[in-house]
Amino acid sequence: VNLLELRTDLIWTGATLALGGLVVAAFRSLPNQCAEWVKRKCIVSVEVMNNDLAFDCLIEWLHHQPAMRLCRSLSVVGLMHSVRDRAADCPAPQGFVHTKRRVSLYYTPAPGDHLIWHGGIPIWVSRIRSDAQKGQSDRPLETLQFSMLSKDPRVLRDLVDQAVQSVMEADDSKIPIFMPSKYEEWFQADAKPPRPMESVILPYGTMEEMLNDCRQFLDEKARYQKLGIPYRRGYLLYGSPGSGKTSTILALASAMGMPIYVMNLGSRLLNDEVMHNLFARVPEHSIVRLEDVDSVFNEHREKKSENHITFSGVLNAIDGVAAREGRLLFMTTNHRQRLDPALIRPGRVDWELEFSHANHDQARRLFLRFFPDDGKRATMFADQCGGQRFTMSDLQCHILLYRNDAQACVE
């Protein structure tokens, strides 16, 4: 009997200890469970990766927030620029010979957790940086996370939308210029002020005709799809250096409000895979500018540069099965005769425009841009340029030297 009672006591004791352990474990995990419940029910979060354009917009938005002045953990980016001053001992028009270098410091939240207040609402901002590689790129992966106390996720979504829009609208009047980075992605390298159409002086009516062609293409997406035709348009601008090829593209982009994606095929950063990925990431309603297309292959498809792209890779990127549609492609070259016919055949290039030396009308109109009320001297200036092989940049540089003296400019 005593043995049976002892066994019973042992069982009850074990059960009590086990139950007590479960109770203690439950109480220990209760704070974590409560925290998880609160996180699921009362906290909303938004994450953005650094391979998304919204990431840079949000970083810039944070940079301008007053709360960032109190942030004690910051990352800094230095942007170099030049300031040109007129030399005191150098008379016009040979001034602007002193160049001073300046660095603008751009502060952003460092990796870690930050608390900011926006409109009286506390927002937790976490910037997480990983050393993990993205494909063949050595760029560290970054995540920007915004969190706030709210049951409605629309509150945070609206805040993020407004933050991105405020940054975009601040630069809305400029034309964004994108270039490939060493991380195999597009990055905004610059934002140019819009270039007026009338500031690019081509043979009479040429700019207007090309702009109408671009706009007609952009308005005919449904028609292209109905006809089963690839929705792409290509232009070849060729001719003398300094004749206005780049300016023409910027003026067209300004008139249509389109970003420009610039790719130099001679870049050592490129190979076929990277080039295809970059082309695939160009959004619709954009301009792609391929610079100096004659610098990579000659007319016999023989390679001239040291990068890793192939001629077939270039053709596939332009109009292959996986090529992006809805974009305008502009190829520029100084030497059309060096291009392989396959690169500029109809379908890849739909419009060719030669940029030759300035004619009489162009020289006269350029003079009137600087001296609008001096038609007589404008004609004299154009007469003196007649028969000379001047590019538009040659003439513009000359006029700029005497921009305050029309008579000296003519003489």
Side-chain angles (χ1 to χ4, degrees), residues 161-393:
D161 288 344
Q162 293 172 10
V164 173
Q165 288 301 318
S166 66
V167 174
M168 297 295 290
E169 290 173 2
D171 246 0
D172 196 40
S173 62
K174 295 184 177 181
I175 304 301
I177 310 295
F178 294 89
M179 299 186 71
S181 73
K182 66 177 181 179
Y183 306 117
E184 306 173 9
E185 298 172 352
W186 292 107
F187 77 99
Q188 185 170 333
D190 200 357
K192 297 283 189 181
R195 180 79 184 253
M197 290 280 292
E198 59 272 16
S199 70
V200 182
I201 302 176
L202 300 182
Y204 188 78
T206 302
M207 281 293 291
E208 293 75 11
E209 188 177 0
M210 180 169 286
L211 178 60
N212 290 336
D213 185 80
C214 292
R215 284 177 169 166
Q216 183 177 355
F217 165 78
L218 295 173
D219 292 337
E220 292 186 334
K221 180 177 180 180
R223 186 177 185 182
Y224 273 74
Q225 292 176 339
K226 182 178 180 180
L227 295 173
I229 302 173
Y231 185 52
R232 292 185 286 266
R233 192 76 172 163
Y235 302 84
L236 175 66
L237 311 185
Y238 66 96
S240 307
S243 54
K245 296 185 287 295
T246 300
S247 298
T248 297
I249 297 173
L250 179 59
L252 291 171
S254 302
M256 297 181 287
M258 299 174 70
I260 301 176
Y261 290 77
V262 182
M263 182 182 295
N264 190 326
L265 295 182
S267 171
R268 296 185 180 183
L269 299 176
L270 292 181
N271 57 44
D272 284 353
E273 182 180 359
V274 172
M275 182 173 55
H276 292 170
N277 290 338
L278 288 170
F279 263 89
R281 291 173 184 166
V282 174
E284 190 172 323
H285 199 76
S286 301
I287 288 177
V288 178
R289 191 177 93 205
L290 288 185
E291 292 185 322
D292 300 325
V293 291
D294 60 292
S295 64
V296 184
F297 303 96
N298 61 20
E299 65 273 23
H300 305 297
R301 305 188 185 184
E302 296 171 345
K303 201 164 186 177
K304 299 162 59 179
S305 67
E306 298 180 1
N307 63 10
H308 304 286
I309 65 173
T310 64
F311 187 78
S312 60
V314 174
L315 299 184
N316 286 329
I318 292 175
D319 65 353
V321 175
R324 192 64 179 258
E325 297 192 349
R327 52 90 183 126
L328 299 174
L329 174 67
F330 284 82
M331 292 189 282
T332 63
T333 178
N334 298 332
H335 308 283
R336 184 191 181 282
Q337 69 278 7
R338 298 179 184 176
L339 301 180
D340 188 286
L343 182 64
I344 56 176
R345 66 159 175 78
R348 293 193 176 110
V349 170
D350 306 288
W351 184 303
E352 293 190 19
L353 179 60
E354 181 179 6
F355 287 72
S356 57
H357 296 92
N359 60 31
H360 185 278
D361 177 65
Q362 286 176 279
R364 185 177 186 278
R365 285 190 287 139
L366 180 63
F367 189 94
L368 288 174
R369 286 283 299 171
F370 290 84
F371 308 102
D373 300 322
D374 204 338
K376 182 179 179 180
R377 287 194 178 95
T379 301
M380 293 172 58
F381 177 78
D383 290 341
Q384 292 191 25
C385 295
Q388 304 293 325
R389 296 177 62 83
F390 292 124
T391 65
M392 291 300 292
S393 61

Side-chain angles (χ1 to χ4, degrees), residues 41 143 262 400:
K41 301 295 184 180
T143 302
V262 182
L400 282 171

